[in-house]
Amino acid sequence: MNSNHLNITYYRPVWTCGRFNEEAEVAIYYNLIAGMSYYFESYSAKVIGKILETPKNGSLNLEDISQDLNISMGSLIPFFQQLEQNGIVSSIEITDDVIADYRHRVSEYHCKQEAQTERTIQEKLPYAVSNAEQAYTEKAGGITSVMFELTYRCSEKCIHCYNEGATRNDEEISTRGDRKELTLDEFKQIIDDLCEQGLIKVCLTGGDPFSKSFAWELIDYLYNKGIAFDIFTNGQRLVNEVQRLADYYPRLVGISIYSGIPEVHDYITRIKGSWERSMSVIRDLSALGVPMNLKCCVMRPNVKSYYLVGDIAKKYGAIPQYEISLTDSIEGDRCVSKYLRMTPEQLEIVLRDENVPLYVGKEAPNYGGQKKLMDQNPCGAGGNSLCITPEGNVIPCCAFHTLFGNLRENRISEILVGSKELMYWRKLTLNDYEECGRYDYCAYCNLCPGNNFIEHGTPLKASEVNCFVAKTRYALAKKMKQGYDPLHGKTLIERLAELPDYARVKIKREQSKDYSDMRLMVGG
């Protein structure tokens, strides 16, 4: 490069955020419109650190960076050219027209990509896949990811909801709001404390996060702190507010949609017109290039039409996210398993869907089975990630309600070093479990210690919910190796159409023991 390039100016786009860890010399940098994250080490990380010191929409002078970091312009110029190709710096000033044009191009790309992309079998299986966030966390350590359950209140009344206080029919009285929830100021203090622990990303969920009165103020705080955020919502309270959300550049918006048939979706949510309102939000988010997942739990009411969610995802450039292992209520209500869980026959058919993460088939190693590592903790929750409930309880994840501490009583730094339950949990390995990992069918289990805890008050005892899916997958794999075809030579859609129509029943609470927010019995 010649001297004419010494004063090149770039700009930091408003759709970026990230973090530089000076001690580990690593950085993570997000392109939030494209929904991409990038990992950097050594001198590259130091350059990203300089970019992150620059306000959004601010200018960067390469000569200044070269002098500050003692890096040659000959190295910086091609590096910034590559960054610009990835949309995380810009050689032109960022205006509203530039943002609108970039959103449009990303939206077109997402829609085209999802329409044409066939995911690999590896991507369909529940295996950990290395990415920028994982790479950064491995080197930087700390608490890098946190889920905030802002409230359990919700604008829908889904029949399968596992949150505390949820109802199953209109005769039951909801107790979702019967808790002393954290205030905005308390959340801000918690976020500040978490930043000291290494926070890079937050997931906002509930209930529905927009049922929280100060949801927008909290989003504004995260945005101004430079923290990437995901948000899981049903979209009901986002009608006519999509542009407002897009202007905060969420890393991902997860929208719950249960069928391509409005009546099926509305039956599950128990809110008439909810499908159309959620779809209007999906259409608007897609037009603005906001990264989306369409989240769909597969159960008896929608088993014949769940796959239509994949068609919606393709049309609007989203990624379908199917969940076939339904979780019973956190507070011990087992009605989901009794009334809504797929039958073994239904599950075998759905397991042949290549878009389902727990897919069973000859294309996958051992037809989808994966040997368990007995000397490791089978769950990463509570390691570099945590969940915080509406009242400030610190738990491993939203499906695993064992208590490590409360943020009204102790700061997060005190809980991280002082909770004997957290220390105990982190040291557990699969060898400590009573049954899990010891049988052939365990290779087909997507083990959730939270399900174990819901049923038994300990993560160490095998859950019937986990075992049901594992045993069904294992039995199907064995039969398929011998030539069995659950689709009977037909397509998935044809086979689903042959299933009997769902006969609606009155779903009611099936209460067992409530272990929610109970502390682990250390050593037992």
Side-chain angles (χ1 to χ4, degrees), residues 386-399:
L386 291 167
C387 179
I388 297 169
T389 71
E391 61 267 59
N393 289 339
V394 178
I395 61 177
C397 82
C398 59

Side-chain angles (χ1 to χ4, degrees), residues 420-421 423-425 428 432 458 460 520-524:
K420 61 182 186 297
E421 294 87 4
M423 297 303 105
Y424 168 70
W425 164 246
L428 287 175
D432 297 306
T458 172
L460 304 182
L520 291 178
M521 186 180 296
V522 175

Side-chain angles (χ1 to χ4, degrees), residues 259-267 274-276:
S259 173
I261 301 174
E263 294 78 13
V264 174
H265 174 91
D266 290 359
Y267 169 76
S274 61
W275 186 88
E276 181 50 49

